[in-house]
Amino acid sequence: MSDDIHVFIEHLRGEVAEITLISLAAARVIAEQTGGEVVGVLLGHDVQGLAAGLAADRILSIDDPAAGDYSPDLYIATLAGLIDSQTPRAVLFGDTSMGAEIAGCLSGRLGLPLVGRCHTVRAADDQIRVVSQICGGKIFVESALPESTVVVSMVPGGHRPDDGRSETAAPIETIPAPAFGEPRVALKRYVEPEIGEIDITKEDVLVAIGRGIQLEENVELAEELAQALGGALCASRPIIDQGWLPSSQMVGKSGKRVEPKVYLALGVSGAPEHVEGMASSATVIAVNTDPAAPIFDVAHYGTEADLLDLLPELIDKVKAAGAG
Ligand SMILES: Cc1cc2nc3c(=O)[nH]c(=O)nc-3n(C[C@H](O)[C@H](O)[C@H](O)COP(=O)(O)OP(=O)(O)OC[C@H]3O[C@@H](n4cnc5c(N)ncnc54)[C@H](O)[C@@H]3O)c2cc1C
């Protein structure tokens, strides 16, 4: 087994996913312990420009029209071939729809251990320790990285995306696409997220509501606060599933990725699928009655107040400050 750490460079429509930067940062922690290199694996067509700025020691890349759109068969075959030939110490993916699909298939096909929902990697006493988030982010489980090639799927929150960036361009080695028959799954078309009246990705201030808002009539209160702050309302998935807000206002893995200056999370637990969409907000303020809610792990400020008590007071104070 080599000491190198492979990182799958996830990209969509010309943009590298932020979870890839987080994975590169985590890979560096492992590589410092093993003495190996961080190797980015970039698959696609005409995408080698995306490697600029990534904190890898080198990049292995397929540049082939067949890899132009995400193809699970091709991607899995390529990564399985690389694991066979290069036997990296670990292969890191984002715990995204794409990353989780590939990581799970590779683990099953090659019989490799899979560390899922990995939040943090750290070196301790000659060991590499991995901390995973389970039960919707409420429980952290720590273990030693198994002593074989390991597949790891990363969630955001533990490592900083900036640590996955670099000013120096890593050398790129182009590798051939593996031969295989007709792909069983092929991309037919992209479905653009519906554009609502409000584009929450462009707002500086977002008031996010979760299941803690409890009743549909309380949504109005949160809307009033958002307006008083000059921002917009967004929500976690249960609010969208109830039909209380349109899906264009959902934040997270299946919703939008937002980076406002202020993200005020009201009654949002902070499940990894939600955090994935808002972890890059400049300032996160959490209001949640449960002190163990994982939203407090990503919040800069927080209170265990009941949001229904807090909202009317906050609205009055913000309006008074605005009037003043
Ligand atoms: C494949 C997949 C994709 C997903 N994609 C997304 C996604 O894109 N976005 C997303 O948000 N979720 C997504 N989810 C769902 C996600 O796992 C969580 O279930 C969801 O984020 C939880 O929403 P919540 O925090 O509003 O609700 P809950 O987890 O129920 O949390 C409600 C919180 O409100 C607090 N609370 C209750 N009452 C009050 C009160 N009066 N005052 C203050 N706090 C209070 C509680 O303590 C609790 O922490 C996805 C799940 C899967 C499996």
Side-chain angles (χ1 to χ4, degrees):
M1 184 167 62
S2 97
D3 294 326
D4 293 346
I5 317 303
H6 285 195
V7 175
F8 172 70
I9 300 174
E10 179 168 337
H11 58 89
L12 190 65
R13 311 188 86 178
E15 262 190 58
V16 172
E18 187 171 79
I19 194 70
T20 294
L21 301 174
I22 290 168
S23 304
L24 286 164
R28 183 62 62 194
V29 175
I30 309 178
E32 276 169 6
Q33 181 80 356
T34 62
E37 289 187 320
V38 174
V39 181
V41 180
L42 176 60
L43 312 181
H45 183 45
D46 281 340
V47 291
Q48 294 191 343
L50 297 179
L54 300 181
D57 297 308
R58 60 193 171 92
I59 306 279
L60 297 173
S61 172
I62 282 187
D63 182 13
D64 193 301
D69 291 312
Y70 172 52
S71 158
D73 293 309
L74 174 63
Y75 280 36
I76 291 163
T78 305
L79 285 148
L82 282 175
I83 292 174
D84 270 347
S85 62
Q86 311 221 354
T87 60
R89 177 72 181 83
V91 190
L92 273 55
F93 296 86
D95 190 66
T96 57
S97 308
M98 193 190 292
E101 176 172 35
I102 304 173
C105 286
L106 279 176
S107 165
R109 184 182 291 187
L110 304 178
L112 299 176
L114 169 69
V115 176
R117 315 191 71 77
C118 178
H119 175 269
T120 321
V121 175
R122 66 186 177 88
D125 305 329
D126 289 338
Q127 274 190 339
I128 300 156
R129 310 285 301 173
V130 281
V131 179
S132 286
Q133 260 186 340
I134 61 168
C135 294
K138 283 207 166 183
I139 298 176
F140 285 83
V141 185
E142 181 167 342
S143 57
L145 197 70
E147 290 295 329
S148 65
T149 296
V150 185
V151 179
V152 181
S153 72
M154 298 291 305
V155 293
H159 295 270
R160 292 180 339 125
D162 278 353
D163 294 339
R165 297 184 214 274
S166 166
E167 306 262 297
T168 323
I172 300 177
E173 182 189 336
T174 306
I175 54 172
F180 69 95
E182 273 299 295
R184 289 166 302 167
V185 180
L187 180 104
K188 281 196 161 173
R189 68 186 172 98
Y190 286 100
V191 180
E192 295 287 351
E194 124 201 11
I195 312 265
E197 278 174 29
I198 305 157
D199 184 354
I200 57 170
T201 64
K202 303 253 162 38
E203 296 287 337
D204 281 344
V205 177
L206 285 175
V207 174
I209 50 170
R211 213 188 319 245
I213 197 82
Q214 294 174 19
L215 296 171
E216 187 172 12
E217 52 258 39
N218 295 332
V219 176
E220 235 173 74
L221 272 179
E223 177 73 60
E224 198 179 338
L225 177 64
Q227 279 184 15
L229 289 167
L233 194 60
C234 62
S236 65
R237 184 161 168 173
I239 301 302
I240 309 303
D241 288 349
Q242 297 266 21
W244 294 352
L245 285 178
S247 59
S248 57
Q249 278 166 264
M250 176 161 74
V251 170
K253 189 187 194 85
S254 344
K256 299 251 173 78
R257 185 174 295 270
V258 296
E259 294 184 16
K261 289 185 181 151
V262 178
Y263 191 87
L264 174 58
L266 303 174
V268 175
S269 61
E273 294 85 3
H274 184 82
V275 170
E276 189 173 323
M278 48 66 74
S280 300
S281 304
T283 303
V284 177
I285 306 166
V287 180
N288 195 308
T289 44
D290 176 5
I295 191 71
F296 289 122
D297 296 334
V298 289
H300 302 92
Y301 303 95
T303 169
E304 292 160 29
D306 184 317
L307 74 88
L308 298 172
D309 295 337
L310 191 70
L311 261 177
E313 284 195 43
L314 207 51
I315 292 166
D316 285 350
K317 288 222 154 61
V318 171
K319 282 186 175 168

